[in-house]
Amino acid sequence: SNVPEISKYVFHEVDPGFYEKARAKQGGIIVCGENYGQGSSREHAALAPKYLGVTAVVAKSFSRIHMNNLVNFGIVPLTFKSRDDYDAVDQGDLVEIDLMDFKKVGLKNLSRGTVIPVSHGLSERDIDVLLAGGKLPYLKKRMEGRR
């Protein structure tokens, strides 16, 4: 697996310039529609965006397996509380998410001056994995704690 090479084709079919934009901005947040990750149960579908610096994905809904892979690689999966809010974000909008408190998370659209309610179905363990930066750092931390 050549992750740097694979990452050049992330979203290539829907946005041929995604790779260059992600590299220039050193990552960001993906905002997307229904059943994000469907058909992408392979780890590379989460690993390549992680390589590009993607920190979170906000979707109308997720494919279950892909959502687990996002968590494993330290990418936060969030869903719009109202699917209609998807239309409140345009490509290129400057957005941010404060992930210090997983109990109340909102997608701030700084370009429009709005906050869009989002939610997650994450377990406490999932949150711990995300806060550690992914499953491997989480397991390493736990193993070091046992010494």
Side-chain angles (χ1 to χ4, degrees), residues 62-117:
F62 285 92
S63 153
R64 180 186 52 81
I65 293 171
H66 187 67
M67 187 169 139
N68 291 336
N69 285 340
L70 291 173
V71 170
N72 288 340
F73 285 103
I75 298 175
V76 180
L78 300 167
T79 55
F80 291 103
K81 285 191 176 180
S82 169
R83 292 170 185 248
D84 293 339
D85 284 337
Y86 169 79
D87 295 321
V89 182
D90 288 322
Q91 186 173 353
D93 281 358
L94 182 61
V95 296
E96 73 177 16
I97 301 169
D98 180 0
L99 295 172
M100 296 310 293
D101 182 1
F102 274 85
K103 289 183 174 69
K104 60 175 197 176
V105 181
L107 176 67
K108 295 177 187 173
N109 187 330
L110 302 175
S111 297
R112 295 184 183 200
T114 58
V115 177
I116 301 165

Side-chain angles (χ1 to χ4, degrees), residues 16 34 46 90 124 134 141:
E34 299 280 352
D90 288 322
E124 288 300 317
K141 194 178 192 181

Side-chain angles (χ1 to χ4, degrees), residues 20 27 47 75 93 131:
E20 289 82 12
L47 184 57
I75 298 175
D93 281 358
L131 292 174

